Amino acid sequence: MAAQVIESWKMVKGIPNYEEVAGEMLFRKIFELAPQVHGMFRFAKEFEPGSEDLYQSERFMKHATGVIATVDTAVSMLGPDLDPLMDVLYELGKKHAQYGALPAHYAVVGRALIDTLQVAMGDKFTNEVKTAWARVYDILSTSMIEGAEEAYE
């Protein structure tokens, strides 16, 4: 499972400016699936929902590429010992709780990530690859949600 995620991520990284391209695709999908979260992002508050100017802004691009860099780091930490990665994600979940992220938001991000990968990889995004990403995302997002739940208490 992890091997399929790692190998397929290499395809995404082969896209020129992949952090920018994938970051924009990911957030377009997030805002399409859950337009109500637009206001949760500081970079988006000065723009109307769906504004093309948002996607061209420096603050948006900084955040979007940062998210993809985090995905890259998470993929690079996949291996037999997931504890270090789970610890990082647990703390990241606590941080996201401070921004108002709720457990339901993780499902939206997961779906947006899968859709982004499907577009980026085209016919290389097989059902097997999709299942591997979904399983890995479920495991990793559970750690973030657990961190967030601690922060909510």
Side-chain angles (χ1 to χ4, degrees), residues 11-148:
M11 288 184 242
V12 175
K13 289 181 71 167
I15 297 169
N17 301 313
Y18 81 96
E19 288 178 330
E20 293 175 5
V21 172
E24 181 177 337
M25 289 170 55
L26 178 68
F27 275 91
R28 282 183 183 274
K29 193 60 167 179
I30 289 170
F31 293 148
E32 176 188 320
L33 295 171
Q36 68 277 12
V37 303
H38 180 263
M40 291 176 61
F41 296 94
R42 286 183 290 200
F43 66 78
K45 289 184 179 182
E46 64 191 74
F47 299 97
E48 291 293 318
S51 165
E52 286 301 312
D53 290 339
L54 165 66
Y55 301 108
Q56 304 307 314
S57 76
E58 186 176 323
R59 289 179 69 202
F60 164 78
M61 198 52 69
K62 181 178 178 183
H63 187 82
T65 57
V67 169
I68 298 303
T70 300
V71 172
D72 186 48
T73 299
V75 170
S76 74
M77 293 177 76
L78 291 174
D81 181 11
L82 288 178
D83 287 345
L85 175 56
M86 300 306 266
D87 292 344
V88 168
L89 294 173
Y90 186 87
E91 293 301 318
L92 189 59
K94 286 168 59 173
K95 184 177 176 182
H96 277 76
Q98 296 171 358
Y99 301 134
L102 301 172
H105 295 142
Y106 291 90
V108 171
V109 173
R111 181 170 166 206
L113 177 62
I114 295 294
D115 287 355
T116 297
L117 292 166
Q118 186 170 14
V119 171
M121 294 175 59
D123 61 0
K124 303 276 191 222
F125 193 73
T126 63
N127 283 336
E128 191 174 82
V129 171
K130 180 179 182 178
T131 298
W133 272 97
R135 287 183 180 163
V136 167
Y137 183 79
D138 284 346
I139 292 166
L140 302 183
S141 66
T142 296
S143 186
M144 288 186 72
I145 291 168
E146 288 171 357

